[in-house]
């Protein structure tokens, strides 16, 4: 089954677009349900913690799964905000960093209070929030009101049918003395908590003896059924919540759920600043501690990842590991200065981005002399501007944007984009079938593409598995990548629309080539480049002229309709030229 987490994704987008202070962004995602007067949006933010995989394997022990989920929350927090490899301390003290097993389970205890029991593979395991739109919420409220009204009538009828002293249970009424234990139990339940099955059982029991009572039971069952049926179509997002009675936490021998050793209380790692003495031992205190001025790691870890976003590699190359086995920063003073500026600015992320991208360091050319290539081969000294192959999701967005196909809508449910037939079916033994979306939805930003952990979108290469938290991009170059950017439906379709776009501007080949080049690369081509592009277009036109059916087949790629007023051979030739531009080294790389 599919989980519904996209409302949380929309919350994240809204938070960054609105420049929510990063400390608040942190606190709400880890403990939004615990902040004073928590709103629905605050609680929604905690879906971050519930993004872990859910194990639905048959025969899986529920407690084992539950412990795995809590471990995931613990280790993700350690990676995302502290840059520490907490996973190493599940079973033993860290071999290199000053982290102990006691430190691990002290952090574990903060997340060990959720009512999730680990049972089954339900991707909407409570606690959940119903995140419908305004109309859905209004309809749900109306259905809930109808149900509550019917349930109240049931309880009023029961007072007449089963008289008993004030505040006594229905089962204590003399009238029900001879009833079965099951019926007594159901009568004791508040009518508002009865399920459809419960109501059906009571209806059968009293069908021949209490027609008025049965009538109210049936009305209530209809109301429950209507509410539940409508609720199925309302997005439900898994969120955090703590149990009323705290769960005890134990250090686990070798990390095994079945081998508790010593009981332990929630605590931060001993080698880092302690929580304030008067602070409650809950997730809210942990989140506030992460962004407190005393914590030496969070601001550094965060600005390092922002730097990594723009330079391809962080000031600390091992952005996932700030421990002793991680890289010591080549520019430690710069990292410290950026971290302190970020914190002192009120955790202003947009200001941090502006500082980085307007710096003289970032604005350097990526060209390099032979002398500096030898002295600084990996650009760790920042002797030149960054240059690296962009991630596959960004390449897709770039192609769609340049072609004019990009759908800029923000938010909403994810999209099933182009994908070869049989991929999901192969991975799920035929149990899950892929249904591609249609129309303008196919051209939404890559952010809105639907993912399954067991098989991610086939278009995206060099992406982590999403089974665990990953903060460091991986990049390699393979001929398979070129096969994607040269042949995938999205790229061929984008090239066709780019060709239409420039062909509509001019009939002159040089002007068309220049405009296509500019739309993709944001600069004018040199005379040599312009000559090669126009020559390429002529060559493609000659080839398609000898195979007009191939031209039509080429232009039929993709769901969008082509401009039929354009002559097919010429259109195919310019599509091939634009596809070549989308595959230039300069296009695929951030220069």
């Amino acid at each position: 089954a599919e989980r519904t987490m996209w409302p949380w994704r929309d919350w994240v987008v809204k938070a960054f677009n609105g420049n929510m202070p990063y400390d608040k962004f942190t606190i709400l995602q880890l403990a939004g349900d615990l902040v004073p007067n928590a709103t629905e949006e605050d609680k929604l933010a905690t879906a971050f913690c519930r993004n872990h995989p859910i194990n639905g394997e048959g025969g899986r022990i529920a407690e084992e799964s539950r412990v795995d989920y809590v471990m995931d929350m613990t280790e993700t927090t350690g990676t995302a905000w502290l840059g520490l490899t907490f996973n190493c301390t599940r079973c033993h003290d860290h071999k290199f960093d000053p982290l102990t097993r006691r430190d691990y389970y002290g952090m574990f205890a903060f997340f060990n209070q959720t009512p999730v029991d680990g049972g089954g593979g339900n991707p909407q395991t409570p606690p959940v929030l119903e995140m419908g739109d305004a109309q859905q919420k209004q309809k749900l409220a109306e259905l809930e009101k109808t149900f509550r009204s019917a349930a109240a009538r049931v309880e009023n009828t029961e007072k007449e049918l089963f008289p008993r002293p004030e505040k006594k249970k229905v089962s204590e009424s003399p009238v029900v003395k001879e009833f079965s234990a099951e019926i007594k139990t159901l009568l004791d339940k508040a009518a508002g908590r009865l399920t459809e099955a419960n109501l059906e059982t009571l209806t059968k029991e009293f069908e021949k003896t209490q027609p008025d009572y049965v009538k109210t039971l049936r009305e209530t069952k209809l109301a429950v059924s209507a509410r539940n049926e409508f609720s199925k179509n309302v997005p439900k997002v898994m969120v955090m919540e703590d149990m009323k009675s705290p769960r005890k936490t134990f250090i686990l021998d070798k990390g095994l759920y079945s081998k508790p050793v010593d009981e332990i209380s929630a605590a931060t790692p001993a080698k880092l600043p302690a929580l304030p003495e008067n602070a409650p031992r809950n997730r809210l205190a942990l989140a506030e501690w992460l962004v407190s001025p005393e914590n030496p790691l969070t601001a550094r870890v965060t600005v390092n990842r922002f730097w990594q976003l723009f330079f391809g590699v962080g000031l600390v190359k091992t952005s996932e590991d700030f421990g002793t086995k991680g890289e010591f920063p080549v520019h430690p003073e710069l990292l410290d200065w950026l971290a302190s500026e970020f914190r002192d600015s009120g955790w202003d992320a947009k200001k941090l981005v502006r500082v980085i991208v307007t710096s003289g360091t970032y604005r350097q050319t990526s060209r390099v002399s032979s002398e500096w290539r030898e002295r600084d081969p990996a650009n760790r000294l920042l002797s030149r501007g960054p240059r690296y192959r962009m991630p596959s999701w960004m390449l897709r967005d770039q192609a769609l944007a340049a072609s004019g196909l990009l759908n800029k809508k923000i938010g909403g449910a994810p999209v099933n984009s182009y994908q070869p037939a049989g991929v999901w079916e192969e991975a799920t033994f035929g149990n899950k079938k892929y249904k591609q979306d249609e129309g303008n939805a196919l051209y939404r930003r890559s952010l809105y593409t639907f993912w399954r952990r067991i098989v991610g979108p086939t278009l995206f290469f060099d992406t982590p598995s999403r089974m665990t938290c990953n903060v460091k991009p991986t990049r390699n170059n393979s001929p398979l990548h070129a096969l994607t950017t040269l042949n995938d439906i999205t790229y061929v379709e984008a090239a066709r629309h780019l060709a239409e776009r420039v062909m509509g501007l001019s009939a002159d080949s040089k002007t068309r080539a220049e405009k296509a080049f500019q739309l993709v690369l944001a600069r004018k081509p040199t005379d040599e480049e312009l000559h090669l592009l126009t020559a390429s277009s002529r060559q493609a036109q000659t080839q398609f002229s000898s195979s007009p059916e191939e031209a039509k087949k080429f232009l039929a790629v993709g769901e969008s309709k082509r401009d039929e007023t354009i002559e097919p051979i010429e259109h195919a030739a310019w599509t091939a030229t634009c596809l070549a531009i989308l595959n230039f080294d300069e296009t695929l790389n951030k220069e």
Side-chain angles (χ1 to χ4, degrees):
E2 295 173 5
R3 66 174 65 192
T4 311
M5 301 305 277
W6 59 263
W8 166 77
R9 175 252 287 147
D10 286 355
W11 180 89
V12 172
V13 171
K14 182 180 176 182
F16 272 104
N17 284 347
N19 201 25
M20 178 183 288
Y22 195 81
D23 57 344
K24 181 180 179 182
F25 181 72
T26 297
I27 290 168
L28 291 182
Q29 288 193 100
L30 292 177
D33 58 313
L34 300 178
V35 300
N37 304 312
T39 64
E40 186 180 71
E41 288 268 297
D42 296 337
K43 295 174 183 176
L44 172 61
T46 66
F48 168 81
C49 295
R50 300 290 302 280
N51 267 328
H52 55 73
I54 293 177
N55 197 316
E57 182 182 351
R60 175 80 172 184
I61 297 169
E63 179 64 8
E64 182 179 9
S65 293
R66 189 194 72 78
V67 168
D68 279 353
Y69 305 160
V70 179
M71 286 178 168
D72 187 285
M73 296 178 200
T74 305
E75 293 166 14
T76 295
T77 301
T79 300
W81 280 281
L82 297 173
L84 296 175
T85 51
F86 266 92
N87 53 307
C88 295
T89 53
R90 275 192 193 190
C91 310
H92 52 74
D93 293 350
H94 205 292
K95 298 297 183 183
F96 305 103
D97 297 338
L99 296 174
T100 65
R101 197 164 52 134
R102 178 167 288 274
D103 290 334
Y104 182 94
Y105 289 98
M107 290 284 286
F108 180 98
F110 287 109
F111 300 97
N112 196 34
Q113 306 308 319
T114 65
V116 177
D117 62 9
N122 179 12
Q124 295 180 343
T125 306
V128 296
L129 278 181
E130 289 187 331
M131 296 300 299
D133 57 29
Q135 281 186 313
Q136 287 175 319
K137 288 180 179 179
Q138 182 181 352
K139 180 66 174 177
L140 269 177
E142 291 171 358
L143 292 170
E144 184 67 23
K145 184 178 179 181
T146 301
F147 164 62
R148 293 295 170 190
S149 178
R153 290 196 295 275
V154 168
E155 292 183 347
N156 288 334
T157 305
E158 286 176 347
K159 286 178 182 178
E160 296 176 8
L161 290 177
F162 315 115
R164 69 273 186 192
E166 189 74 22
K167 296 184 179 179
K168 292 291 184 179
K169 296 178 180 179
V170 177
S171 60
E172 296 177 75
S173 170
V175 179
V176 303
K177 190 192 309 184
E178 303 301 324
F179 291 170
S180 68
E182 180 188 13
I183 297 300
K184 288 179 180 178
T185 300
L186 292 180
L187 289 172
D188 281 341
K189 285 181 74 172
R193 296 179 57 204
L194 292 170
T195 66
E196 291 180 68
N198 295 158
L199 290 161
E200 181 63 26
T201 300
L202 289 173
T203 297
K204 288 180 180 178
E205 177 70 23
F206 295 101
E207 197 166 19
K208 296 179 181 178
T209 60
Q210 301 293 344
D212 290 340
Y213 181 46
V214 167
K215 181 182 177 183
T216 61
L217 289 172
R218 284 177 173 155
E219 288 172 351
T220 306
K221 184 185 174 186
L222 283 173
V224 171
S225 178
R227 183 197 63 182
N228 292 349
E229 192 62 33
F230 186 81
S231 179
K232 290 178 182 177
N233 299 316
V234 178
K236 296 177 183 64
V237 184
M238 297 184 293
V239 293
M240 293 295 279
E241 185 181 282
D242 281 354
M243 300 184 300
K244 292 180 180 178
S245 299
R247 180 187 280 120
K248 292 183 179 180
T249 298
F250 296 87
I251 294 176
L252 302 178
D253 183 32
K254 296 180 181 177
L256 296 173
Y257 77 97
S258 57
K259 292 189 176 181
V261 183
D262 298 323
E263 187 174 348
I264 192 169
S265 300
T268 53
K271 288 295 182 180
L272 291 173
L275 285 173
E277 286 187 14
N278 59 347
R281 271 24 185 188
N282 61 14
R283 284 180 286 111
L284 180 57
L286 173 66
E288 290 174 341
W289 171 81
L290 285 171
V291 292
S292 66
E294 292 76 26
N295 191 319
L297 285 170
T298 300
R300 287 181 173 86
V301 167
T302 305
V303 300
N304 189 64
R305 284 211 307 276
F306 273 102
W307 188 274
Q308 174 182 266
L309 179 67
F310 292 104
F311 283 84
V313 61
L315 291 165
V316 175
K317 188 175 183 178
T318 53
S319 52
E320 78 288 2
D321 186 2
F322 270 52
T324 57
K325 296 298 287 184
E327 182 196 54
F328 189 82
V330 180
H331 300 280
E333 297 88 352
L334 176 57
L335 180 64
D336 287 350
W337 181 78
L338 283 172
S340 60
E341 284 289 304
F342 183 43
R343 182 196 62 203
D344 296 344
S345 71
W347 300 85
D348 188 330
K350 288 194 175 184
K351 183 177 180 181
L352 172 64
V353 169
R354 178 174 288 276
V355 167
I356 292 174
V357 300
T358 58
S359 67
T361 304
Y362 180 75
R363 290 185 292 123
Q364 295 179 100
T365 178
S366 55
R367 292 179 179 177
V368 58
S369 65
S370 56
E371 177 191 354
W372 274 103
R373 185 183 297 280
E374 187 174 339
R375 291 178 62 183
D376 187 20
N379 200 28
R380 303 300 290 127
L381 299 177
L382 305 175
S383 58
R384 57 188 177 275
R387 185 184 189 279
Y388 54 89
R389 213 267 337 278
M390 290 188 287
S392 51
W393 59 265
M394 191 180 288
L395 294 176
R396 175 183 176 274
D397 287 352
Q398 175 182 248
L400 291 175
S403 70
L405 270 174
L406 184 67
N407 177 354
K408 296 182 180 179
K409 176 186 172 185
I410 295 177
V415 176
N416 287 346
S417 55
Y418 296 122
Q419 183 166 289
V423 175
W424 276 17
E425 290 80 354
E426 176 72 21
T428 63
F429 306 101
N431 292 320
K432 189 71 179 174
K433 300 188 186 304
Y434 189 82
K435 184 180 178 183
Q436 178 188 298
D437 277 294
E438 299 176 345
N440 204 29
L442 290 169
Y443 314 113
R444 297 199 68 192
R445 290 176 57 199
S446 299
L447 175 69
Y448 300 108
T449 301
F450 184 83
W451 279 74
R452 289 190 72 80
R453 276 194 173 95
I454 57 172
V455 51
T458 56
L459 179 63
F460 299 145
F461 45 82
D462 280 2
T463 52
S465 69
R466 296 196 175 191
M467 296 300 288
T468 56
C469 175
N470 189 299
V471 297
K472 184 179 179 181
T474 55
R475 289 188 185 89
N476 57 64
N477 289 301
S478 157
L480 293 175
H481 300 168
L483 287 173
T484 298
T485 55
L486 281 166
N487 297 285
D488 186 87
I489 295 173
T490 296
Y491 289 93
V492 176
E493 186 176 19
R496 169 162 59 83
H497 272 265
L498 180 57
E500 283 184 17
R501 192 173 177 183
V502 298
M503 291 175 80
L505 295 174
S506 174
D508 178 64
S509 293
K510 287 187 176 181
T511 303
R512 289 175 176 179
E514 186 176 292
K515 290 296 182 182
F517 196 93
Q518 280 184 288
L519 284 168
V520 176
L521 295 171
R523 71 172 178 85
K524 288 187 176 183
T526 63
D527 291 341
E528 183 181 6
E529 289 167 335
L530 196 57
H531 172 72
L532 288 170
L533 287 172
T534 52
S536 173
S537 174
R538 288 193 299 272
Q539 182 182 7
Q541 192 153 349
T542 301
Q543 290 175 332
F544 281 121
S545 294
S546 62
S547 305
E549 290 304 314
E550 287 298 315
K552 291 180 180 179
K553 185 178 177 182
F554 187 45
L555 294 172
V557 173
E559 293 288 317
S560 61
K561 301 295 182 183
R562 89 172 193 93
D563 185 349
E564 298 290 343
T565 64
I566 302 176
E567 197 278 320
I569 301 297
E570 188 179 18
H571 193 180
W574 277 102
T575 297
T577 303
C578 288
L579 184 58
I581 294 173
L582 290 176
N583 279 271
F584 283 174
D585 186 67
E586 188 177 338
T587 305
L588 302 176
N589 285 274
K590 183 183 187 305
E591 295 280 359

